Amino acid sequence: MSNDTELDEIRSSREEWAAESVEPTMERFGERRDEFRTDTEGTVVDRLYTPEDVRDLDYTEDLGFPGQDPYTRGVYPTGYRGRLWTMRQYAGFGTSEETNERFHYLIDEGQTGLSMAFDLPTQMGYDSDNAMAAGEVGKSGVAIDTLQDMETVFDGIPLDEVSTSMTINAPASVLLAMYIAVGDKQDVDRSELRGTIQNDILKEYIARNTYIFPPEPSMRVITDIFEFCAKETPKFNTISISGYHIREAGSTAAQEVAFTLGDGIEYVEAALEAGQDVDEFAPQLSFFFNAHNNVFEEAAKFRAARRMWADIMEERFGAENPKSKQLKFHTQTAGSTLTAQQVENNVVRVAYQAMAAVLGGTQSLHTNGKDEALSIPTEQSVRTALRTQQILAHESGAADTIDPLAGSYYVESLTDEIEADAYDILDDVAERGGMRAAVEDGWVQRQIQDVAYERQSEIEDEERIIVGVNKYGVDEEPEAAIQEVTEEDERRQINRLESAKTERDEEAVEAKLDALRNACAGDENVMPHIVNAVKAYATVGEICDAMRDVFGEYKGSGVA
């Protein structure tokens, strides 16, 4: 952004500064380390950044203005000055009654959006009375078996006044159908329902493993959801393409961006192959990223991802609707960075991570509770996590101007580096036939595993300091309050399920499940049949089993 004469003058002045100021200081005191690197990339961090490091930066082409292509500086013209990000605390545990109480508590404390966590049986498409569910009912989220549970979760919460994010993938179609059914019962027009389903199955094959069906039918269900929601629930985001869990599995920032956008490319291509118009479904795509400790690297990551997606959607897919090119994303602070030792330190970690997300322009944010390395967060730690966002919004000044780090020689240089590294990874993915092929042969998983192993080795060798873990430890830890889900909670949920089954029309249930099987076996959109089955009070397990009958189950890639 400077002309050659100015750059020559800066270069000369820098060399003079290094000789006259830096070298004498280095001789006397040295520096803390021989080499400084970013948190995950391993990129060497220079002592100083100047206009030389961004000499090729073109303001119009590379940055532009907020709300305008290439969206590096944000997707909204007024940033947070017009509206703050949605404060969407991830919550849900035990039974639907307990989760309803937690949701009401968070709303009363100032939360502006709901984010729903499901237990592992629900995520895997099993009912609470299934043998596979034993010991896990309500543990990592709320247990949802029938529409009755969903009705209880949202009792007293009007769906036309809140937006709800649901972290659900393999059975996302079923939980979305339940949400729609609750809205119907509340007489809320489907066009007014707002929220997001995660619905990102490729990430499950990569990082989390809560999949049910093989890739091909899973992609078919996802594109059916795209088509159904474009017509029925146009304000509902049909997918949250997730880098969060990829990063939790150990990836670098550039890998998180590359593999996430690579998954996005795969979903867009699948929808196009199904005959859908890119500008019809693409505005309902959303993303989900992780926020780690290195504030500058994370802010740069978000900016690079926005710029890349705008380019990919326009150049690769010919998108014309500006909303098709806008990468809108939710952020969650990094669960993998939370420590069981000195849990109070996690409050500080979460605050810095939240700052990075806001500086990077997130649309919504979840801040982790300090005790999540130990258990489901307590009410007190959830309140502190929410207060962290509120202090950031109202006291820090971070929300007062748009993209405040723009123009920083360091941040712009990092943004360019992450973008370049991510594009290189996407080139490798393309050579392997795209993300689906690269996931199915285990290549993506191996890339992440290699990085995770390297990072853990650095921690064990104390090359990477984790405060309170491998340095600055204490002999005794204070007792922490633990939020527990008991065997009695599990028994109550199973009793509730059994009661729901006795009250429903069994013939109607079987008829709806048969119709769903027929739709799965053909090419009819499955979503209307899932909604019908849900309204007949078919269970999550029964609906997923009907789909298993046709689609089969995925057994994994066998990555070692």
Side-chain angles (χ1 to χ4, degrees), residues 65 147 223 234 253 306 322 404 417 436 477:
F65 293 95
L147 179 58
T223 57
R306 265 197 304 268
E417 284 188 28
R436 181 172 152 186
E477 289 294 317

Side-chain angles (χ1 to χ4, degrees), residues 4-310:
D4 289 341
T5 301
E6 290 173 329
L7 289 174
D8 287 342
E9 291 176 356
I10 291 169
R11 186 182 305 110
S12 177
S13 298
R14 179 174 180 168
E15 290 171 354
E16 183 177 332
W17 165 76
E20 295 181 0
S21 298
V22 176
E23 288 182 12
T25 303
M26 289 287 290
E27 288 176 3
R28 291 186 63 191
F29 305 110
E31 290 182 323
R32 290 184 290 114
R33 295 197 295 270
D34 292 336
E35 192 173 66
F36 291 78
R37 293 182 176 272
T38 55
D39 188 40
T40 66
E41 297 307 296
T43 302
V44 174
V45 178
D46 291 339
R47 181 177 294 114
L48 181 73
Y49 286 79
T50 73
E52 281 189 279
D53 296 286
V54 292
R55 64 183 305 152
D56 296 325
L57 185 71
D58 183 302
Y59 184 89
T60 303
E61 293 296 321
D62 298 326
L63 296 181
F65 293 95
Q68 293 183 359
D69 208 336
Y71 305 106
T72 311
R73 303 202 66 184
V75 295
Y76 296 126
T78 58
Y80 301 132
R81 290 165 68 96
R83 176 184 172 187
L84 291 170
W85 63 91
T86 301
M87 299 180 191
R88 193 187 297 281
Q89 291 300 111
Y90 189 47
F93 65 95
T95 64
S96 51
E97 292 92 346
E98 291 170 308
T99 296
N100 177 260
E101 290 176 9
R102 179 63 63 89
F103 278 178
H104 277 286
Y105 172 78
L106 288 167
I107 291 170
D108 291 343
E109 291 296 328
Q111 178 170 298
T112 54
L114 300 175
S115 184
M116 194 168 177
F118 300 92
D119 69 0
L120 278 174
T122 305
Q123 292 181 51
M124 299 294 292
Y126 295 119
D127 291 333
S128 296
D129 61 357
N130 191 294
M132 294 291 288
E136 291 294 339
V137 174
K139 289 289 179 70
S140 61
V142 61
I144 300 292
D145 292 313
T146 71
L147 179 58
Q148 184 184 81
D149 293 320
M150 205 71 152
E151 291 168 338
T152 302
V153 166
F154 291 100
D155 183 36
I157 301 173
L159 298 193
D160 56 348
E161 296 180 14
V162 301
S163 68
T164 304
S165 173
M166 294 184 281
T167 303
I168 194 72
N169 294 282
S173 57
V174 185
L175 277 301
L176 172 61
M178 287 185 172
Y179 194 78
I180 291 170
V182 173
D184 289 348
K185 283 179 172 287
Q186 292 185 2
D187 292 324
V188 175
D189 193 292
R190 291 182 180 182
S191 66
E192 294 303 313
L193 293 176
R194 294 177 296 115
T196 304
I197 46 171
Q198 194 161 101
N199 196 26
D200 179 4
I201 201 63
L202 289 175
K203 166 265 301 169
E204 294 298 320
Y205 302 132
I206 295 170
R208 288 187 76 243
N209 298 327
T210 58
Y211 42 70
I212 300 175
F213 316 116
E216 185 172 347
S218 293
M219 296 293 283
R220 179 261 178 99
V221 173
I222 288 171
T223 57
D224 279 359
I225 291 171
F226 289 175
E227 181 182 54
F228 178 84
C229 289
K231 298 173 183 176
E232 296 285 329
T233 59
K235 293 182 180 179
F236 211 92
N237 295 316
T238 54
I239 194 168
S240 178
I241 305 163
S242 176
Y244 182 85
H245 304 95
I246 290 170
R247 189 66 171 278
E248 289 290 280
S251 79
T252 66
Q255 285 176 330
E256 180 187 359
V257 171
F259 294 145
T260 305
L261 300 191
D263 285 346
I265 290 168
E266 199 78 19
Y267 294 128
V268 172
E269 289 179 340
L272 294 175
E273 289 172 8
Q276 298 178 37
D277 182 272
V278 67
D279 285 322
E280 288 292 324
F281 67 83
Q284 289 179 275
L285 305 180
S286 64
F287 292 81
F288 175 24
F289 288 110
N290 209 313
H292 272 237
N293 290 328
N294 190 311
V295 172
F296 302 110
E297 182 180 42
E298 295 301 290
K301 176 189 74 180
F302 300 131
R303 301 171 82 249
R306 265 197 304 268
R307 188 161 68 197
M308 291 176 68
W309 189 244

Side-chain angles (χ1 to χ4, degrees), residues 424-445:
D424 286 344
I425 295 168
L426 283 175
D427 288 342
D428 290 338
V429 169
E431 289 178 4
R432 287 163 173 79
M435 276 298 289
R436 181 172 152 186
V439 168
E440 288 179 328
D441 73 10
W443 180 82
V444 173
Q445 296 91 313

Side-chain angles (χ1 to χ4, degrees), residues 255-512:
Q255 285 176 330
E256 180 187 359
V257 171
F259 294 145
T260 305
L261 300 191
D263 285 346
I265 290 168
E266 199 78 19
Y267 294 128
V268 172
E269 289 179 340
L272 294 175
E273 289 172 8
Q276 298 178 37
D277 182 272
V278 67
D279 285 322
E280 288 292 324
F281 67 83
Q284 289 179 275
L285 305 180
S286 64
F287 292 81
F288 175 24
F289 288 110
N290 209 313
H292 272 237
N293 290 328
N294 190 311
V295 172
F296 302 110
E297 182 180 42
E298 295 301 290
K301 176 189 74 180
F302 300 131
R303 301 171 82 249
R306 265 197 304 268
R307 188 161 68 197
M308 291 176 68
W309 189 244
D311 177 68
I312 288 167
M313 291 304 292
E314 181 173 344
E315 298 300 323
R316 181 165 183 155
F317 297 113
E320 296 180 357
N321 185 345
K323 292 184 178 180
S324 300
K325 297 184 280 185
Q326 294 172 350
L327 185 146
K328 298 176 182 177
F329 65 97
H330 171 70
T331 308
Q332 180 174 338
T333 57
S336 61
T337 67
L338 302 181
T339 64
Q341 301 91 333
Q342 298 180 40
V343 293
E344 293 81 4
N345 295 344
N346 294 330
V347 176
V348 182
R349 292 185 177 100
V350 167
Y352 284 126
Q353 293 164 6
M355 173 69 85
V358 169
L359 293 176
T362 191
Q363 274 61 69
S364 67
L365 178 61
H366 164 85
T367 35
N368 289 330
K370 68 178 183 180
D371 48 2
E372 290 189 42
L374 302 173
S375 70
I376 296 168
T378 63
E379 201 168 84
Q380 182 181 19
S381 65
V382 164
R383 184 175 64 242
T384 299
L386 179 58
R387 292 289 183 263
T388 300
Q389 293 200 50
Q390 292 163 337
I391 291 168
L392 183 57
H394 300 294
E395 298 184 27
S396 73
D400 294 350
T401 190
I402 306 169
D403 192 22
L405 296 182
S408 158
Y409 307 131
Y410 179 41
V411 171
E412 297 297 358
S413 178
L414 275 179
T415 301
D416 290 345
E417 284 188 28
I418 291 173
E419 180 180 26
D421 290 345
Y423 270 128
D424 286 344
I425 295 168
L426 283 175
D427 288 342
D428 290 338
V429 169
E431 289 178 4
R432 287 163 173 79
M435 276 298 289
R436 181 172 152 186
V439 168
E440 288 179 328
D441 73 10
W443 180 82
V444 173
Q445 296 91 313
R446 288 191 293 274
Q447 303 308 301
I448 297 170
Q449 288 170 0
D450 288 347
V451 173
Y453 178 81
E454 181 181 336
R455 296 294 176 264
Q456 184 58 36
S457 296
E458 291 171 354
I459 293 170
E460 292 175 3
D461 294 340
E462 296 188 9
E463 296 174 10
R464 182 178 293 262
I465 300 303
I466 308 298
V467 174
V469 177
N470 62 358
K471 198 166 186 178
Y472 311 117
V474 294
D475 293 334
E476 294 183 4
E477 289 294 317
E479 292 186 8
I482 299 294
Q483 179 78 53
E484 293 185 293
V485 177
T486 66
E487 291 183 8
E488 177 58 28
D489 292 325
E490 181 170 333
R491 172 46 53 192
R492 284 193 295 118
Q493 179 62 25
I494 292 173
N495 290 341
R496 180 185 176 90
L497 170 59
E498 291 172 351
S499 176
K501 286 182 177 180
T502 62
E503 295 171 2
R504 69 189 186 178
D505 183 336
E506 287 296 334
E507 289 186 5
V509 171
E510 286 306 316
K512 303 305 183 187

